[in-house]
Amino acid sequence: MIWLIGCKGMLGTEIARQFEQNGIPFTGTDREVDITDPAALDQFARSQKEHITWIVNCSAYTAVDKAEDDRELATKLNEDGPRNIASVAKKTGARFIHISTDYVFDGTGKVPYTEDMPVAPLGVYGVTKAAGEKAVQEILKENFYIIRTAWLYGWDGKNFVYTMVKLMNSRDSFSVVNDQRGTPTFAGDLARAVRKFIELGDRGTPAPYGIYHCTDLGETNWYDFAGEIQQVGMQTGLVTRTCAVHPCTTAEYPTKAVRPAYSVLCKDKIQQALGITLPQWQESLRVFMESALYRKE
């Protein structure tokens, strides 16, 4: 049986949808089982009638700017939580899939980051996520997959696409930064990769354990991402009025937490290990915005 932790978040909801659509049995928990409490995790694991063979952790403290003032909670959720869950995985013998982030890098790179490049997080969010990765690796020498992703959006929860469409339908103009590069990632694509890891493992042909990068293909900046959203939005009827979107620099739009200027991740390893070809980010954005599941706010 699969235990999906953080099942009500944006990614967790999409993974649950993937499991349901493919007839994969799982049990999902969210805040009702506190990942910062080892006893609560142990108790839940013991209460299950079926043996837990996989644990997928989508829970995290993801409020990047708020984390700068709330290091204690961010540490509990992003470092202590994964350590506690990994301990349960070790006790039960379950394989563990843990979701991490591009924020473990400092963004000074010029070519896509590979999994073996050294981490150098800039802010509290990245620091705590990197610490969570380390804790998982220290406890589980094998039986684990750490999947780093970036610029995630999906049908459930707040995300950049929903925000842009809302602004385009309510303002005459606004600005978006154009000097931060990365890759937009549809949560459905990441969820399918998670499912693939599980399917390969259950068939007795598991992918090599370790760290993987998973985003859609290609790269862009936030301003051009917004431009693509506007174009597809007007074609699909999600954007219903004219709005001028202007480029600006990070210096002109300061935030409490420093963002990586370049956070493109190399996806060669995961594509080879899973035998998949990830879609281009523009293709996935269109699929997302054309879907009947798109939440029209």
Side-chain angles (χ1 to χ4, degrees):
M1 184 191 70
I2 303 168
W3 180 7
L4 175 60
I5 299 176
C7 67
K8 294 181 181 178
M10 180 169 61
L11 178 59
T13 302
E14 188 56 44
I15 292 175
R17 186 177 289 116
Q18 281 288 319
F19 290 164
E20 291 165 355
Q21 290 175 348
N22 290 275
I24 300 173
F26 73 99
T27 184
T29 61
D30 206 80
R31 296 186 180 186
E32 66 273 14
V33 178
D34 185 359
I35 65 170
T36 69
D37 183 354
L41 290 167
D42 285 337
Q43 181 179 1
F44 180 84
R46 290 195 304 269
S47 72
Q48 299 307 296
K49 294 180 180 179
E50 294 184 49
H51 178 65
I52 297 172
T53 55
W54 289 87
I55 301 176
V56 181
N57 179 36
C58 297
S59 62
Y61 186 110
T62 58
V64 176
D65 289 319
K66 289 183 179 179
E68 295 298 306
D69 296 319
D70 201 359
R71 179 182 286 267
E72 182 178 358
L73 182 57
T75 299
K76 286 182 178 180
L77 293 174
N78 292 344
E79 179 180 356
D80 299 342
R83 177 183 292 110
N84 297 336
I85 299 168
S87 295
V88 173
K90 186 174 183 179
K91 292 175 186 176
T92 60
R95 294 185 174 108
F96 183 30
I97 297 177
H98 174 62
I99 307 300
S100 193
T101 174
D102 59 318
Y103 274 70
V104 300
F105 297 113
D106 62 12
T108 60
K110 301 298 181 183
V111 296
Y113 285 97
T114 57
E115 290 82 354
D116 57 356
M117 288 182 174
V119 300
L122 296 174
V124 171
Y125 171 66
V127 167
T128 56
K129 290 295 288 184
E133 290 186 5
K134 184 178 179 181
V136 170
Q137 293 175 81
E138 289 176 346
I139 292 172
L140 298 173
K141 308 304 181 185
E142 56 180 19
N143 280 4
F144 75 89
Y145 299 102
I146 294 171
I147 307 176
R148 295 174 181 149
T149 192
W151 294 28
L152 198 65
Y153 65 90
W155 287 307
D156 300 277
K158 296 180 180 179
N159 61 70
F160 186 77
V161 181
Y162 285 151
T163 298
M164 291 298 101
V165 171
K166 185 175 182 179
L167 289 176
M168 290 167 186
N169 284 330
S170 61
R171 293 190 185 181
D172 293 328
S173 67
F174 61 91
S175 298
V176 180
V177 295
N178 68 347
D179 55 358
Q180 297 173 21
R181 296 193 68 79
T183 307
T185 307
F186 174 40
D189 297 330
L190 178 54
R192 279 185 284 274
V194 168
R195 192 190 86 213
K196 186 71 172 180
F197 274 112
I198 293 172
E199 290 175 343
L200 288 175
D202 287 347
R203 290 173 191 163
T205 56
Y209 298 119
I211 300 175
Y212 288 85
H213 290 169
C214 186
T215 70
D216 288 330
L217 299 182
E219 63 178 83
T220 188
N221 60 60
W222 290 110
Y223 169 72
D224 288 339
F225 184 18
E228 190 74 13
I229 292 168
Q230 186 174 43
Q231 180 179 333
V232 177
M234 295 184 73
Q235 292 170 354
T236 58
L238 293 173
V239 175
T240 58
R241 60 196 299 277
T242 300
C243 174
V245 182
H246 304 290
C248 70
T249 65
T250 298
E252 293 173 306
Y253 188 78
T255 54
K256 179 159 287 190
V258 178
R259 268 67 172 171
Y262 182 86
S263 61
V264 179
L265 303 178
C266 178
K267 280 75 69 172
D268 293 348
K269 181 179 177 181
I270 194 169
Q271 291 186 112
Q272 182 177 358
L274 300 185
I276 62 173
T277 300
L278 292 162
Q280 293 289 326
W281 71 264
Q282 298 95 328
E283 174 188 343
S284 287
L285 175 65
R286 179 170 291 277
V287 169
F288 171 71
M289 295 185 72
E290 289 180 344
S291 171
L293 289 174
Y294 185 94
R295 190 177 64 199
K296 299 180 180 179
E297 296 183 325

